[in-house]
Amino acid sequence: MILRYIHTYICTCSLFFFVSMASTIVTCSSSTRHPLSLSPLPNSFNLLSSYQPPHLPNQLKWKSFSLKQTAISIALAVGLITGVPTFGCPNDANAVSPVLPDLSVLISGPPIKDPGALLRYALPIDNKAIREVQKPLEDITDSLKIAGVKALDSVERNARQASRTLKQGKALIVSGLAESKKEHGLELLNKLEAGIEELELIVQDRNRNAVAPKQKELLQYVGGVEEDMVDGFPYEVPVEYQNMPLLKGRAAVDMKVKIKDNPNLEECVFHIVLDGYNAPVTAGNFVDLVERHFYDGMEIQRADGFVVQTGDPEGPAEGFIDPSTEKTRTIPLELMAEGEKAPVYEATLEELGLYKAQTKLPFNAFGTMAMAREEFENNSGSSQVFWLLKESELTPSNANILDGRYSVFGYVTENEDYLADLKVGDVIESIQVVSGLDNLVNPSYKIAG
């Protein structure tokens, strides 16, 4: 009963806030390019009262609220609090069918927050045998949370389960390998099998400190095997975007940042995996800009404890100016929903009526990377990107108002914890593609010379 009263109070406060905003017409502009405030709120009763999404920082202008925008805001408030769809397209609109979670939400209960696991489950494969090997190896993370050497008893069970399922399902795993990648996949499988035996020996020696590094190694083998199951690019990008830079597969970049005013950390290299299987246009756009050295020397422009953001070029430009057209190059909103074979474009999942759909690349992990855009312009993304730092009342994993509204296209997989140390003014010395550049098609940086 108490929860019901709290629920009603939050909903009422949220609606009151948005109605108040709609009734107050504000027209003022910001002469400085100041990042939006999106910091976590101190308590749940302030939900949405100061929420402003990761827009383009140089476009901070209060505009008159239209009735449509007001309705969207109110619908979002009610939808966030109640979970009941209150606004969207009609049932006969051009929306993809409602979907149910597939293997990528194999783990019930707590959401997956590990970036490596999210990337593995996001691969366009359907091989239950390799997933059953992957699961107990990932569960070692929870086993290690047990105090003392008792954790090793749980790790031992994890290792035995992984070994048993690998032996039982090896034939099915091999049959799932793409023919062109089978030799490499078999090599990784042999390394995985030997590595699990080494893990069992580590447990027998009661060497707790050696478990986590070995787990990381084994999961890298699993991820490699799963990538070797992907045979080519699984779908056609819509015709209107086929001439844009596209990442048809995955790539990885290293972002080197010079950190100011921190005696304990002068510079840091962040390793980022970009997923073109689920966001080929967004990831392709970013890789193309990286190859143009667009971000080299650029400062971190927002670091408020909630997100880190950059990509706003100097001058009046709102994004990357394509030299061939002398206009801002923009890309569409791009979202891959669970159970779908291709992304949807130009519309949020709410606008498509997919209120319960989950995205293949959710805002679950610390260091989730996404494209910034204007709030009411779905196709206004260009060069500004942001990394989510932590959860808040507004962004609980698997149930937040960022999923389905912003294009996620990668995760920081190494040194992600140091993102929290970045401050406005820290300099990106360089971003370099370290793998997967051959997956980029239509690279405009080559045309530019």
Side-chain angles (χ1 to χ4, degrees):
M1 183 65 68
I2 293 174
L3 289 176
R4 182 177 298 176
Y5 287 137
I6 294 174
H7 172 96
T8 304
Y9 177 75
I10 294 173
C11 187
T12 303
C13 289
S14 301
L15 287 173
F16 176 77
F17 167 73
F18 281 108
V19 171
S20 298
M21 279 207 324
S23 62
T24 304
I25 306 301
V26 184
T27 55
C28 65
S29 63
S30 172
S31 59
T32 59
R33 303 192 304 161
H34 174 66
L36 290 172
S37 172
L38 216 168
S39 57
L41 304 177
N43 59 66
S44 60
F45 293 102
N46 284 333
L47 277 175
L48 293 173
S49 63
S50 63
Y51 168 72
Q52 292 178 330
H55 310 273
L56 309 182
N58 61 318
Q59 295 173 336
L60 265 180
K61 296 183 179 180
W62 286 89
K63 299 179 181 180
S64 300
F65 281 85
S66 68
L67 290 177
K68 177 182 177 181
Q69 292 170 348
T70 303
I72 291 174
S73 297
I74 294 174
L76 282 172
V78 176
L80 175 67
I81 305 302
T82 66
V84 178
T86 56
F87 182 87
C89 299
N91 293 331
D92 58 351
N94 294 326
V96 293
S97 303
V99 295
L100 295 175
D102 58 10
L103 279 172
S104 64
V105 283
L106 186 65
I107 300 178
S108 59
I112 303 172
K113 298 182 181 181
D114 177 71
L118 290 167
L119 286 164
R120 286 188 288 273
Y121 283 118
L123 284 167
I125 65 171
D126 184 15
N127 190 290
K128 186 177 179 181
I130 189 63
R131 298 298 197 200
E132 289 179 343
V133 177
Q134 175 182 333
K135 176 78 164 61
L137 292 176
E138 290 175 343
D139 287 345
I140 290 174
T141 300
D142 290 329
S143 296
L144 289 175
K145 294 177 182 178
I146 302 172
V149 294
K150 289 184 178 180
L152 295 174
D153 296 332
S154 182
V155 173
E156 184 176 20
R157 289 191 291 271
N158 299 142
R160 286 178 178 175
Q161 183 181 352
S163 177
R164 182 173 60 255
T165 53
L166 177 57
K167 291 175 181 177
Q168 293 174 346
K170 190 170 183 179
L172 290 175
I173 294 172
V174 172
S175 67
L177 294 171
E179 195 61 39
S180 61
K181 303 177 183 178
K182 181 167 288 188
E183 183 177 350
H184 182 253
L186 288 171
E187 180 183 345
L188 290 178
L189 274 175
N190 291 333
K191 289 182 178 179
L192 176 61
E193 196 166 14
I196 293 175
E197 292 177 359
E198 292 170 4
L199 176 61
E200 291 177 312
L201 292 175
I202 288 172
V203 175
Q204 289 176 16
D205 292 339
R206 313 307 281 177
N207 186 357
R208 178 183 173 126
N209 292 335
V211 172
K214 178 57 68 173
Q215 177 205 25
K216 182 178 180 180
E217 176 189 330
L218 296 178
L219 286 173
Q220 286 175 340
Y221 293 149
V222 170
V225 171
E226 291 174 349
E227 288 198 46
D228 286 343
M229 292 179 172
V230 183
D231 190 8
F233 194 69
Y235 56 87
E236 286 293 327
V237 174
V239 174
E240 55 266 43
Y241 312 126
Q242 286 183 358
N243 293 327
M244 291 181 171
L246 304 173
L247 186 65
K248 292 192 171 184
R250 285 186 173 167
V253 300
D254 283 345
M255 181 174 72
K256 185 177 181 181
V257 180
K258 181 72 174 179
I259 299 176
K260 300 178 180 179
D261 303 325
N262 189 333
N264 300 319
L265 189 67
E266 292 186 0
E267 65 180 26
C268 186
V269 177
F270 300 94
H271 188 72
I272 308 169
V273 177
L274 309 172
D275 190 352
Y277 289 123
N278 294 292
V281 176
T282 312
N285 175 73
F286 180 76
V287 173
D288 188 68
L289 292 177
V290 166
E291 287 300 294
R292 287 176 174 269
H293 304 285
F294 176 83
Y295 298 98
D296 294 0
M298 186 172 287
E299 293 185 349
I300 298 298
Q301 296 150 354
R302 172 183 176 182
D304 54 14
F306 183 51
V307 300
V308 168
Q309 186 164 326
T310 192
D312 180 10
E314 294 183 0
E318 299 175 351
F320 167 66
I321 302 296
D322 190 335
S324 64
T325 63
E326 297 184 350
K327 296 180 180 179
T328 302
R329 184 173 80 187
T330 58
I331 58 174
L333 179 64
E334 181 177 43
L335 303 166
M336 176 73 87
E338 285 284 3
E340 296 301 321
K341 294 183 179 180
V344 293
Y345 292 88
E346 301 191 5
T348 67
L349 294 186
E350 293 131 338
E351 290 168 347
L352 293 172
L354 300 178
Y355 303 100
K356 300 297 184 181
Q358 293 182 327
T359 53
K360 291 281 280 187
L361 300 176
F363 281 93
N364 282 13
F366 190 102
T368 300
M369 186 177 186
M371 180 64 63
R373 64 174 179 84
E374 291 184 66
E375 184 175 6
F376 294 105
E377 293 292 338
N378 291 344
N379 304 325
S380 58
S382 179
S383 61
Q384 297 187 43
V385 298
F386 67 96
W387 293 270
L388 185 70
L389 294 186
K390 60 183 178 182
E391 295 180 284
S392 73
E393 294 93 334
L394 287 172
T395 59
S397 296
N398 271 18
N400 65 69
I401 60 174
L402 297 181
D403 281 334
R405 299 187 70 212
Y406 294 88
S407 303
V408 174
F409 62 101
Y411 296 98
V412 181
T413 60
E414 293 180 20
N415 292 328
E416 62 268 27
D417 290 344
Y418 289 110
L419 284 169
D421 293 317
L422 298 185
K423 296 180 175 61
V424 173
D426 289 344
V427 178
I428 299 173
E429 293 186 340
S430 65
I431 305 182
Q432 295 182 333
V433 180
V434 294
S435 67
L437 185 58
D438 54 336
N439 291 326
L440 181 66
V441 300
N442 307 325
S444 72
Y445 71 90
K446 288 188 175 180
I447 298 174

